[in-house]
Amino acid sequence: MKDYKNILIIKMSSLGDIIHALPTLYALRKNLPNAKITWAIHEQFAGLLPGKPWVDEVIIIDKKQLKLFGYLKQLYTDLRGRHFDMTLDLQCLAKSAIVSWLSGAPEKYGYWELREGSQFVNKALVGKHQYDHVIERYLDTVRQLGGSVDTIEFPLPSDATCYQHVVDMLGSEGIQDDYVLVAPGARWTVKEWPVLSFAELCNRLCQEGRKVVLMGAKDDLGKSQSIVDAVQSNNLVNLTGKTTMPELIELIRHCSLYISADTGPLHIANGLKKPLIALFGTTSPERTGPYGGDYIHLVISPTSKATPENPLIDDPECMAQITVDQVWDVYKAL
């Protein structure tokens, strides 16, 4: 692999996509231990990135201002002044291609799926995993640049202060450890398992004596409250909307089991190699699902038509075909 000295990785969103790109960061650092690595990202996802030795610097990109000439001029001056010798665009959209072009790097690369005109800025790095899981697609960029990929690791950040805050929040609810973490929301409604199904599952867990913690973004507050109202158990704790991104990572890091449909925190759980139960139907787990070892347990809707070639199916009834009994059987087997 060429001895790059100053690399810009561009992956600005979203949560799950950034997690999928972390093994590429790991591989780059292992191949180039002395390079300076900078990551361009949207502010709300910056908490997902680890610090040194993995990432030396973070550049916050304001998506809303990318169409404004004044902002572009400022970004141009900033990026050019950093003298990058290579950009690796793992977003491959118009917005990321703009950042790649503004960088002025003499070598600009992306993974094979260049979209929205990004092919006019970046050179596609096409490997043998072109149609495999997106993690492998990203890793092919390192392979095609002559680097080695020996393992798949997710260098997620760790924060002792955030961990202590999580411990305090859980302790105030009577939870020390050994809790099941449940995320009822998802970015798109079509990916969600019905709230009533989550409520029944949580009710069974609570009746068995398990401590169950609900989590998610503020947009998920309504779903979580519906579950709390339905279950009415002291074993159920609702922390939805109460954690920052670093605290969310620590909350997931210390759970004993994670359960959700295809949503961003699922990929954090996967990156932390936590035992997890993932519910899929309208998206393809072969393309963007949890990827790794035997800690992953998938429950796939019997009516799922999602494939790696057609990874998102707009079928509002698909996820409802997963029964509580199916998920419960997987849980009991664990």
Side-chain angles (χ1 to χ4, degrees):
M1 189 175 196
K2 185 175 177 179
D3 188 21
Y4 295 104
K5 302 296 185 184
N6 196 0
I7 300 169
L8 175 63
I9 296 175
I10 306 168
K11 188 67 170 176
M12 298 183 283
S13 63
S14 55
L15 198 161
D17 294 339
I18 292 167
I19 300 298
H20 288 150
L22 289 180
T24 299
L25 168 66
Y26 180 91
L28 269 179
R29 177 55 78 204
K30 288 298 181 180
N31 283 274
L32 299 168
N34 298 317
K36 180 179 180 180
I37 298 179
T38 302
W39 193 304
I41 194 169
H42 294 323
E43 186 172 17
Q44 66 266 42
F45 301 113
L48 292 169
L49 297 180
K52 294 180 178 181
W54 309 105
V55 176
D56 295 290
E57 196 168 0
V58 175
I59 297 176
I60 302 298
I61 305 295
D62 190 333
K63 178 183 177 181
K64 295 180 180 179
Q65 300 211 39
L66 274 176
K67 295 180 180 180
L68 302 179
F69 177 77
Y71 180 74
L72 292 175
K73 183 179 179 181
Q74 174 189 339
L75 195 57
Y76 173 91
T77 302
D78 181 19
L79 294 176
R80 296 278 171 136
R82 296 171 186 267
H83 306 292
F84 295 110
D85 51 18
M86 190 263 278
T87 60
L88 185 58
D89 182 357
L90 298 178
Q91 198 98 39
C92 295
L93 298 174
K95 65 176 183 178
S96 58
I98 290 171
V99 177
S100 182
W101 180 78
L102 290 174
S103 75
E107 298 182 37
K108 305 178 188 69
Y109 299 108
Y111 79 109
W112 76 268
E113 198 174 8
L114 299 172
R115 296 161 288 172
E116 297 183 358
S118 58
Q119 67 269 24
F120 298 112
V121 175
N122 302 311
K123 179 181 178 181
L125 296 171
V126 184
K128 66 179 182 179
H129 298 284
Q130 186 175 359
Y131 299 106
D132 293 335
H133 196 283
V134 69
I135 289 175
E136 295 288 2
R137 300 183 192 196
Y138 295 160
L139 284 170
D140 268 351
T141 62
V142 177
R143 298 181 181 110
Q144 292 303 301
L145 289 170
S148 62
V149 177
D150 300 323
T151 184
I152 294 176
E153 296 292 339
F154 300 81
L156 282 157
S158 179
D159 190 305
T161 301
C162 292
Y163 169 58
Q164 187 58 52
H165 188 217
V166 168
V167 168
D168 292 342
M169 282 194 295
L170 292 173
S172 67
E173 300 287 352
I175 299 177
Q176 301 301 321
D177 52 19
D178 191 26
Y179 55 92
V180 179
L181 195 55
V182 175
R187 185 181 177 191
W188 293 314
T189 303
V190 75
K191 296 196 298 183
E192 293 177 348
W193 199 38
V195 171
L196 289 178
S197 297
F198 268 120
E200 174 58 27
L201 177 65
C202 290
N203 187 51
R204 294 188 190 186
L205 290 166
C206 290
Q207 287 185 346
E208 196 177 67
R210 297 301 300 268
K211 297 291 186 179
V212 180
V213 178
L214 299 176
M215 55 145 288
K218 290 182 179 179
D219 291 344
D220 302 319
L221 281 169
K223 302 181 187 72
S224 293
Q225 189 59 50
S226 295
I227 294 170
V228 170
D229 293 342
V231 176
Q232 295 187 3
S233 170
N234 291 331
N235 285 333
L236 182 66
V237 174
N238 185 10
L239 295 186
T240 305
K242 296 182 180 180
T243 54
T244 63
M245 187 67 73
E247 290 167 353
L248 179 68
I249 293 172
E250 297 305 322
L251 182 63
I252 297 172
R253 190 193 307 277
H254 294 92
C255 73
S256 55
L257 175 65
Y258 175 94
I259 304 174
S260 80
D262 183 10
T263 185
L266 169 68
H267 304 294
I268 296 177
N270 180 52
L272 294 170
K273 296 180 170 56
K274 301 301 299 184
L276 62 87
I277 299 175
L279 316 181
F280 274 77
T282 54
T283 52
S284 169
E286 291 86 359
R287 185 176 188 270
T288 57
Y291 191 74
D294 57 6
Y295 53 89
I296 296 169
H297 306 276
L298 295 176
V299 182
I300 301 176
S301 169
T303 61
S304 174
K305 294 181 174 61
T307 65
E309 296 74 27
N310 194 15
L312 177 60
I313 304 297
D314 187 10
D315 180 357
E317 303 301 322
C318 180
M319 292 298 291
Q321 307 313 307
I322 298 175
T323 67
V324 177
D325 284 340
Q326 285 178 283
V327 181
W328 186 251
D329 287 346
V330 174
Y331 163 75
K332 293 302 287 185
L334 292 175

